[in-house]
Amino acid sequence: NKKNVFIIAIIVFVVFGVSVYWQRRGTDEAEVNKEVDKADLVETSGAISRNLLSAEEGTMLLAVYFGNEKFSGGAAADCKKVFVAERKVPKTTTVARAALTELFKGPTEIEKEEGYFTAIAPGVEIKGLIIENGIARADFNEALEAGVDSACKSLAIREQIARTLKQFPTVKDVLISINGKTEGILQPAN
């Protein structure tokens, strides 16, 4: 009888211990997943680093890319050279669209004082954005071509958009279109 009670006690103890272990493990995984959900991947200088949501619940940090005359040795030093600036935005599931929207706002006054500038003219609107099979297909209105007076400016616009979208791990390549057209866009006016 004592032997049976002892065996039952061991079984209960083992079942209870396993139950507690799995409950605790589930809680730990939930906490990890909660933190991962709060994380956004941002590319800086070719390396991916994790930026957690800001201290304010309901916001997140996104990267946008601009030229910077102080960092690049002058505005025209390298057309494709862009540098990261961070933006705090309301949390959203459409992070790529939010990042482009912030990019099209241009540098803030503080960022301008720090040397940031944009090659993108005001008034650009996103007409469509689809990310599929690693390719971001971004369609914009004709304002994207405004002021394109050189191949250098065209390269700068493309690089600002591409780098802003490539901060997300699901984007490997970017296809830019204007009103659905991909050929002959962002060409300097003759």
Side-chain angles (χ1 to χ4, degrees):
N1 245 354
K2 285 185 177 182
K3 188 176 182 179
N4 288 342
V5 171
F6 181 72
I7 291 173
I8 292 172
I10 289 176
I11 291 172
V12 169
F13 179 76
V14 169
V15 169
F16 178 77
V18 169
S19 174
V20 168
Y21 170 78
W22 283 108
Q23 283 180 334
R24 185 168 219 179
R25 182 173 177 185
T27 302
D28 292 344
E29 286 177 1
E31 287 301 312
V32 168
N33 289 337
K34 184 177 176 185
E35 289 304 311
V36 169
D37 287 343
K38 287 184 174 183
D40 207 49
L41 296 177
V42 179
E43 182 180 357
T44 54
S45 304
I48 301 260
S49 64
R50 171 170 276 160
N51 281 329
L52 295 178
L53 282 176
S54 66
E56 294 176 38
E57 196 61 37
T59 63
M60 60 188 199
L61 295 176
L62 294 175
V64 291
Y65 287 82
F66 300 113
N68 188 303
E69 20 188 68
K70 292 180 181 177
F71 298 153
S72 65
D78 184 350
C79 305
K80 289 180 69 173
K81 201 162 203 158
V82 293
F83 302 88
V84 69
E86 286 188 341
R87 297 291 171 86
K88 183 169 44 171
V89 299
K91 187 175 182 181
T92 179
T93 57
T94 56
V95 291
R97 183 176 289 271
L100 286 176
T101 299
E102 289 301 309
L103 175 67
F104 297 149
K105 290 178 182 178
T108 64
E109 290 306 313
I110 293 171
E111 290 166 346
K112 287 177 186 175
E113 290 172 14
E114 293 172 348
Y116 289 97
F117 63 91
T118 185
I120 300 170
V124 176
E125 296 175 5
I126 304 166
K127 295 185 79 174
L129 178 59
I130 298 170
I131 300 171
E132 194 174 66
N133 299 323
I135 300 171
R137 298 176 192 283
D139 188 37
F140 306 103
N141 65 350
E142 59 282 346
L144 187 64
E145 287 189 296
V148 176
D149 56 2
S150 68
C152 186
K153 188 160 190 175
S154 175
L155 285 171
I157 292 168
R158 288 179 184 277
E159 192 66 12
Q160 283 185 249
I161 293 169
R163 288 291 300 272
T164 296
L165 289 172
K166 286 180 178 180
Q167 73 183 285
F168 305 107
T170 55
V171 178
K172 304 297 179 220
D173 201 9
V174 177
L175 180 62
I176 297 171
S177 62
I178 296 175
N179 295 324
K181 185 176 151 188
T182 56
E183 297 296 320
I185 62 167
L186 293 174
Q187 299 299 316
N190 293 331

